[in-house]
Amino acid sequence: GGAMRLSEAIEALLLATQANGRSSRTVEAYREKLSYLLEALGDVPVETITVADLRRYVAGQLARTTDYQPDNPPSGSLSPFTVAGRVRALKRLFNFLVDEELLDANPARRIKTPHPRRVIPKGITHADLGRLLDSTKAGGLLDLRDRAIMLLLADTGCRLSGLCGLRLSDVELEARRALVTEKGEKTRPVYFLDLTANALGAWLKVRPNADTDALFLSLTRWGTPQGPLTGATVSRMLSRRAERVGITGKVNAHSFRHAFARDFLMSGGDLAALSDLLGHSDVLVTKEFYGILTGEELRQKHAQHSPIKWLVEGGNDGDHDGL
């Protein structure tokens, strides 16, 4: 009985999403994205929500994207991709309510989903990655730590927060995998190759004793532990090493993630697997960020996967009966 409130409407959508067999990650992503709508409008009866209410909410969210910068977001600012995701979730909610006949008219029908300008993310090049790793050749304590950090970033595509949050117990060297926790509470497995496993093993052998179980430690120049590694320390370390080996472009933790995604797609990996490896709640997010290859990359990808490739490679000059 009684009017359905916004919180109840959201719960109904989450239940339906779960019952439709979507992953718990998708369900949680909807919960998170719709919590901002609930916060903005209050727990009002859904039939009292007007298109003007929703427009005010969306306009307020978009206003927070104006001074957003991906590498150094001012506090309170939002990525345009984050806002687009919240708007998509809102439209999903109201479409669902109308489909289920819990609502007669759809106030979200005329709300447009914003499409952020796509900037092709700059991934670190293979040559630059090689140079950065070369800078650790001396093999001192910091070199061993930094080599493991850089290989882990490049090999797993994990976020900086995930890397810094790794505990000793999160890493399974034998199984070549680690459990990273990012964006609040989302934990997922990431996988790595022998080279990275060896670098991690080498770091673990020399890791100083510290009163923390963090995998990576912030160290003074003399190797005294200063607690768990921080994102700022990694950023400083990367720019210092980049400068030392003469890399002019910007090098930050995210450029390793971008390179991981680019190489994964360029070598024939699929978007759905990439989405899981990167820890995105939705393949759409992955597509927005990384499904964008430059023209030249698309040309190469086409050359790898075109259905007539076998004709050319088979040395057949095209006079095939089946065609």
Side-chain angles (χ1 to χ4, degrees):
M4 180 177 249
R5 302 210 160 257
L6 183 53
S7 61
E8 295 169 319
I10 292 170
E11 288 306 321
L13 172 68
L14 299 180
L15 181 62
T17 307
Q18 205 175 356
N20 290 343
R22 301 296 300 276
S23 74
S24 62
R25 202 158 77 209
T26 304
V27 176
E28 285 315 306
Y30 276 139
R31 184 191 303 283
E32 192 254 339
K33 291 180 174 96
L34 290 166
S35 68
Y36 304 99
L37 179 68
L38 184 58
E39 198 181 311
L41 300 188
D43 200 6
V44 294
V46 279
E47 67 263 23
T48 63
I49 297 172
T50 64
V51 66
D53 294 331
L54 295 180
R55 281 194 179 127
R56 261 193 303 274
Y57 165 71
V58 172
Q61 296 279 300
L62 285 171
R64 294 170 57 187
T65 65
T66 45
D67 54 355
Y68 175 80
Q69 294 135 347
D71 300 322
N72 187 15
S75 81
S77 76
L78 292 173
S79 149
F81 291 96
T82 300
V83 174
R86 289 179 189 180
V87 176
R88 266 202 304 271
L90 163 156
K91 288 180 73 73
R92 175 84 195 84
L93 173 67
F94 285 97
N95 287 340
F96 162 79
L97 292 173
V98 172
D99 285 349
E100 299 273 307
E101 297 177 3
L102 295 166
L103 205 55
D104 295 332
N106 185 347
R109 193 173 59 86
R110 292 198 301 282
I111 300 282
K112 295 264 182 290
T113 305
H115 285 287
R117 220 166 27 96
R118 296 177 165 201
V119 184
I120 293 183
K122 274 274 175 275
I124 189 168
T125 64
H126 294 164
D128 283 349
L129 177 58
R131 282 196 204 113
L132 284 171
L133 290 170
D134 279 349
S135 80
T136 65
K137 273 216 292 266
L141 183 63
L142 286 166
D143 290 324
L144 292 173
R145 181 199 67 176
D146 296 353
R147 181 181 170 81
I149 289 171
M150 293 189 286
L151 281 171
L152 203 58
L153 285 171
D155 199 0
T156 66
C158 72
R159 294 180 180 91
L160 189 49
S161 63
L163 176 96
C164 293
L166 281 169
R167 296 179 309 262
L168 292 167
S169 57
D170 292 329
V171 180
E172 302 170 52
L173 279 187
E174 288 297 296
R176 304 285 190 260
R177 67 171 210 160
L179 285 175
V180 295
T181 304
E182 295 174 351
K183 292 224 161 174
E185 290 305 299
K186 291 189 212 164
T187 299
R188 71 178 191 283
V190 293
Y191 304 90
F192 46 86
L193 303 179
D194 293 356
L195 187 68
T196 306
N198 296 338
L200 279 166
W203 157 247
L204 287 171
K205 276 202 189 70
V206 298
R207 176 187 177 277
N209 283 326
D211 51 5
T212 167
D213 65 347
L215 170 64
F216 293 115
L217 307 170
S218 289
L219 303 168
T220 63
R221 238 179 322 193
W222 302 275
T224 319
Q226 301 215 281
L229 185 70
T230 64
T233 302
V234 178
S235 304
R236 264 202 313 277
M237 176 274 281
L238 290 174
S239 18
R240 264 210 297 270
R241 287 195 181 271
E243 211 173 321
R244 207 180 308 161
V245 295
I247 296 171
T248 48
K250 219 173 30 179
V251 171
N252 56 42
H254 240 67
S255 41
F256 289 81
R257 188 167 161 86
H258 295 319
F260 172 83
R262 175 199 65 209
D263 288 357
F264 189 88
L265 291 173
M266 284 304 294
S267 50
D270 63 289
L271 211 52
L274 177 60
S275 187
D276 280 342
L277 289 170
L278 290 174
H280 286 151
S281 55
D282 189 332
V283 174
L284 276 171
V285 178
T286 317
K287 184 168 165 24
E288 284 283 10
F289 271 107
Y290 300 108
I292 34 179
L293 298 169
T294 61
E296 193 40 49
E297 287 168 336
L298 282 171
R299 173 191 297 285
Q300 289 170 26
K301 218 162 156 42
H302 169 264
Q304 277 172 3
H305 300 291
S306 166
I308 73 156
K309 190 178 163 198
W310 62 276
L311 286 172
V312 186
E313 283 178 351
N316 189 325
D317 54 11
D319 54 356
H320 191 277
D321 290 347
L323 290 182

